[in-house]
Amino acid sequence: MSETPSRPAGSETPPTGPGAETPPEAIKAIKLRHPWRMVLAIVLAAIAVLFIVDAAVNRPVYNWPEVGKYLFDVRVIEAAGYTLQLTIYSMVIAILLGVALAVMRLSPNPVVKSVAWAYLWLFRGTPVYVQLVFWGLIGVIYKTIDIGIPFTEPWVSFDTSDLFSYFFLAVIGLALNEAAYMAEIVRAGLLAVDKGQDEAATALGLGWWHTMSRVILPQAMRVIIPPTGNEVISMLKTTSLVTAVPFSLELFTRTSDIAAKTYQPVPMLIVASIWYLAITSILMVGQYYLERHFAKGVDQRPAPQKPTVETSAMAAVEPGELPGVVPPSNRPGGGA
Amino acid sequence: MNAAETPMVKAEAVSKAYGSNTVLRSISLEVKRGEVLCLVGPSGSGKSTFLRCINHLETVSAGRLSVDGSLVGYRQHGDKIYELHPKDAAKQRRDIGMVFQRFNLFPHMTAVENVMLAPTLLKKGQPKGQVKARALELLARVGLAERSDYYPSQLSGGQQQRVAIARALAMEPKLMLFDEPTSALDPELVGEVLEVMKELAKSGMTMIVVTHEMGFAREVADTLVFMDGGVVVEQGDPREVLSNPQHQRTRAFLSKVL
C-alpha cells in the first residue's frame, strides 16, 4: 500500500486555499476477494471437462461417427425443413388469430367478448397432444364439408379426408392451440400502451383501424415480442408432437424412424437435438433484430430540461391591483 | 344565420353524468370565431371534462353542444337525434385540434413523423413531399425546425408540447382545445409553450384553454370562465374577473392561485 492517507477527511487538516480546487483523488482500495466463488468456478469447469472427455472417449453408445454420418443426411435436412415450416406457418396463423382474439376480448360487445373467452378456455384447457389427435380424426367426425343453406340439399360437398393433408391438419392443430396463448400475450401488450395514445390518435380524427395499426400495435410490439419469441421456440419443439395427427416427416419422428432401422437411438436423438438447437439459435438472432426495430424512440436519453426559447413571465395581476396579492413575477424566485 | 355569425362553439345547458355522479351541470356558453376562452377552476370542477366533450372524447348526457353549427357526436334529422357513426365522428374531430396535459406524442415516431401522421393517412391524394414540407413548416412555426428528426424521448417537456401543438395544427383545425398544456412542465419550460400559444391566438385561431396560468389568461384570453362543481360560476373579461371577482368562490380560488 502506498503512503497516501486513506482515512476520511477531517482527521487530517482539510485542504484549504488554491489546493481545494484540484479534483478529489481517486480511491485506491484493495479489491475484496471472493475465494468461494473461485472454488465454485473451478469445480464447475472441472465437471464440464470431465463430462465432455467422458462423452468423447468412454461412451460408445453416443456413437459420434454415426452422428456425423446422419447430421446432414438428406432425409434429416428435409425433416428440419418440415419442422421449420410447421413452426412458421402455425405461428403466423396463431399470431393473426391471437390479435383478433385479443381485440375481441377487449370489445364492448358481451357476446364477442364471451366467444373469445370461451375459445381461450377450450384451447388452453386441453393438451395440445389431445387436440392434434382430434384434428387427425376430423375426417371421421365430419366426413364431408358442405356449402349451402342449412337443412337443404348442399350446393357443393367436399370429402374432408381428400381436402386436408396431414401437414395441413398439423399446422391448423398447432396454430389454433397457440392462438389462445398468443391472444393473452397480445392483450397484455395492448393494455400496456398508455391510454393517452389512443386519445391522441382519436382526437386527430384517426379511425379505429388507423389508431390500432399505426399507434397502438407498434407500441404494444415491445411488450409482445419477448414472450412471442418464447412461444416460437416452444412451438419449434411442440412440432415433435404432430406425429399424433399423424404427420411423420418432421425432425423428431423422422430421426426416430431412421433409428428404428439402425438400432441406434442415441445418435439420432443427438442429430435431432443439434438441428433444434441450430434453428433456435437462428430464431434468437431474428428476435434480437425485431426487438431493436420496435425499440425505436424508446431507449434514447432525454435532453437536459432547459428552456430553448427566451421567454418572459406574464403578469396575472398588475402590481397593487388586488390588495394583498403579489404577482408571481414579483415574488422571490419569480414565476413563469 | 350566415356562417360568420355562427359561433364556433355553442353549449346550451350541457350536462354530463357518470352514473349518479354529475360532473357538468347545465353549462351554457359561446365561443365566437377567433376568440380565446380560458377555463379556470379547481381540479374536479369539470373543466377538462367539458373540453373533452367538445371533440366527443366524452359524450354529453343532456343539452346541446355544437361546433361550427353542427351537433357534436350526433346528427339531427327533423326532431330526432341520431348517434353518429364512428367514421363521421372521426371526420368531425379533424376540424378540432387538441393538446393534452401529458403531450401524448407517439413515442415511436420522430417529431416530424408525429406531425405528418394524420395528414398522411387522412388527406389522401396529397403528395408525401408536400405533407412533409407542411409538417416542417409547422415545426418551424413552434420553433423546432432543427429538432424534426428527434424522437419525443429526446426532447424536453416544453419541446414535446410544442411538437404536440404542431401535430394538432397539421389537420388545419378551425378550433384548438388545450387541456392544461403547461401543467406537466417544469416551471422554467412553461413560458416557451405559452409563447407559441400566444402567437397562435394572435394569428386568429379560435382557442379554448383549460389552464392554471392566470398570467396567460389575463394577457391572451378574450373571455375567462371560472368553473367549480360542474357549473360556470363566473365569466367575463379576464382582467375584470381576475382583479374584481364577483363571487365569493372565485375570490377564494384566485387568492390561492395568484
Side-chain angles (χ1 to χ4, degrees):
Chain A
M1 198 182 169
S2 73
E3 289 301 300
T4 324
S6 57
R7 268 174 292 168
S11 52
E12 301 283 323
T13 339
T16 44
E21 294 298 314
T22 54
E25 207 177 319
I27 298 174
K28 288 182 199 132
I30 294 172
K31 281 237 187 236
L32 183 59
R33 306 238 180 254
H34 296 280
W36 287 108
R37 280 190 208 166
M38 270 317 239
V39 172
L40 182 65
I42 291 168
V43 169
L44 287 177
I47 291 174
V49 169
L50 264 176
F51 179 79
I52 292 169
V53 171
D54 173 72
V57 182
N58 289 346
R59 308 284 156 184
V61 180
Y62 281 131
N63 201 346
W64 294 104
E66 182 88 350
V67 172
K69 190 173 140 200
Y70 282 101
L71 190 56
F72 296 105
D73 187 283
V74 179
R75 289 168 292 176
V76 173
I77 291 175
E78 257 177 27
Y82 273 117
T83 290
L84 198 58
Q85 283 184 54
L86 282 169
T87 308
I88 290 170
Y89 297 158
S90 54
M91 275 315 290
V92 167
I93 297 172
I95 289 169
L96 295 177
L97 193 56
V99 171
L101 285 165
V103 171
M104 282 168 74
R105 276 205 76 181
L106 299 171
S107 158
N109 184 319
V111 175
V112 172
K113 211 193 254 182
S114 311
V115 166
W117 184 89
Y119 182 96
L120 256 68
W121 175 76
L122 184 66
F123 281 88
R124 280 202 311 186
T126 52
V128 64
Y129 194 85
V130 173
Q131 291 172 30
L132 287 169
V133 175
F134 253 111
W135 285 106
L137 293 174
I138 192 121
V140 180
I141 307 170
Y142 303 98
K143 287 201 166 52
T144 60
I145 290 180
D146 305 334
I147 298 173
I149 300 160
F151 310 113
T152 62
E153 202 54 35
W155 303 330
V156 225
S157 185
F158 298 102
D159 199 333
T160 311
S161 41
D162 293 346
L163 199 59
F164 304 130
S165 67
Y166 284 139
F167 179 77
F168 179 83
L169 289 175
V171 168
I172 292 298
L174 291 171
L176 294 195
N177 175 71
E178 182 58 30
Y181 293 91
M182 281 310 302
E184 287 297 271
I185 291 170
V186 173
R187 189 169 70 102
L190 295 180
L191 292 178
V193 178
D194 180 44
K195 210 170 156 284
Q197 294 292 308
D198 176 55
E199 278 183 358
T202 307
L204 279 173
L206 301 190
W208 181 87
W209 174 250
H210 279 148
T211 302
M212 210 55 174
S213 61
R214 298 306 188 98
V215 177
I216 309 289
L217 267 178
Q219 294 181 60
M221 287 309 266
R222 285 194 54 241
V223 178
I224 292 173
I225 288 172
T228 304
N230 247 351
E231 293 297 309
V232 175
I233 289 168
S234 166
M235 176 62 88
L236 175 73
K237 295 171 296 179
T238 309
T239 55
S240 60
L241 297 182
V242 298
T243 178
V245 170
F247 180 77
S248 58
L249 293 176
E250 51 61 53
L251 199 48
F252 176 66
T253 317
R254 201 67 211 263
T255 48
S256 304
D257 288 349
I258 295 173
K261 286 201 194 93
T262 60
Y263 298 110
Q264 299 227 32
V266 177
M268 290 320 289
L269 285 177
I270 295 172
V271 166
S273 299
I274 290 172
W275 275 101
Y276 282 123
L277 278 169
I279 299 174
T280 303
S281 310
I282 294 167
L283 292 174
M284 282 166 75
V285 173
Q287 180 179 349
Y288 168 79
Y289 282 103
L290 263 184
E291 277 184 30
R292 209 174 61 165
H293 173 78
F294 283 104
K296 250 187 340 185
V298 173
D299 293 331
Q300 328 275 359
R301 282 180 59 78
Q305 305 276 304
K306 286 275 176 259
T308 44
V309 174
E310 272 316 309
T311 52
S312 53
M314 296 185 216
V317 181
E318 300 291 323
E321 198 173 7
L322 251 190
V325 173
V326 183
S329 47
N330 289 6
R331 282 181 208 159
Chain B
M1 206 187 323
N2 73 49
E5 284 167 19
T6 319
M8 187 53 84
V9 177
K10 189 172 185 188
E12 297 165 274
V14 165
S15 301
K16 166 81 187 165
Y18 297 102
S20 60
N21 178 23
T22 310
V23 286
L24 295 178
R25 290 165 210 271
S26 197
I27 307 272
S28 293
L29 52 82
E30 254 186 48
V31 185
K32 294 189 199 69
R33 274 152 210 288
E35 195 182 309
V36 175
L37 181 134
C38 278
L39 274 172
V40 301
S43 51
S45 60
K47 47 195 196 317
S48 284
T49 307
F50 178 66
L51 197 74
R52 293 158 59 83
C53 284
I54 297 173
N55 70 350
H56 202 46
L57 282 180
E58 306 274 353
T59 42
V60 170
S61 334
R64 292 296 173 88
L65 180 60
S66 51
V67 170
D68 204 14
S70 52
L71 279 180
V72 174
Y74 299 98
R75 176 170 57 84
Q76 190 162 15
H77 198 78
D79 52 356
K80 285 209 177 84
I81 289 184
Y82 300 87
E83 213 176 300
L84 276 190
H85 189 276
K87 259 187 197 149
D88 297 315
K91 218 172 264 171
Q92 224 173 27
R93 287 194 191 97
R94 284 169 210 171
D95 290 335
I96 307 170
M98 185 158 186
V99 175
F100 298 86
Q101 181 178 351
R102 307 251 12 139
F103 330 134
N104 296 357
L105 287 179
F106 306 131
H108 57 303
M109 300 179 194
T110 60
V112 71
E113 286 168 352
N114 263 278
V115 180
M116 287 167 66
L117 180 71
T120 310
L121 296 177
L122 304 174
K123 288 187 172 168
K124 301 253 168 66
Q126 218 180 76
K128 190 149 188 218
Q130 200 178 318
V131 171
K132 180 151 192 192
R134 167 96 184 114
L136 289 172
E137 211 173 279
L138 282 169
L139 283 175
R141 186 171 169 190
V142 298
L144 289 172
E146 274 125 55
R147 307 274 162 150
S148 63
D149 289 329
Y150 284 50
Y151 284 100
S153 60
Q154 297 167 304
L155 298 172
S156 75
Q159 293 170 333
Q160 288 189 51
Q161 192 60 298
R162 286 186 280 144
V163 173
I165 294 172
R167 178 178 72 175
L169 290 171
M171 288 303 288
E172 286 160 351
K174 47 193 179 190
L175 168 68
M176 284 285 282
L177 309 174
F178 294 84
D179 190 2
E180 300 199 26
T182 57
S183 298
L185 295 176
D186 288 352
E188 60 171 354
L189 302 176
V190 168
E192 64 189 61
V193 172
L194 293 183
E195 212 61 44
V196 167
M197 290 167 62
K198 213 160 86 178
E199 185 269 330
L200 196 57
K202 265 190 214 141
S203 75
M205 177 62 76
T206 314
M207 293 162 59
I208 302 181
V209 185
V210 172
T211 186
H212 294 298
E213 295 295 328
M214 297 303 157
F216 174 82
R218 179 192 178 88
E219 194 177 322
V220 181
D222 299 297
T223 312
L224 184 78
V225 173
F226 174 70
M227 282 179 72
D228 189 21
V231 296
V232 173
V233 176
E234 189 164 350
Q235 60 175 308
D237 180 86
R239 280 158 197 275
E240 279 296 308
V241 177
L242 283 172
S243 47
N244 190 16
Q246 297 301 305
H247 288 259
Q248 179 52 42
R249 192 64 200 88
T250 321
R251 242 172 272 156
F253 175 75
L254 290 178
S255 73
K256 279 184 200 123
V257 299
L258 284 180

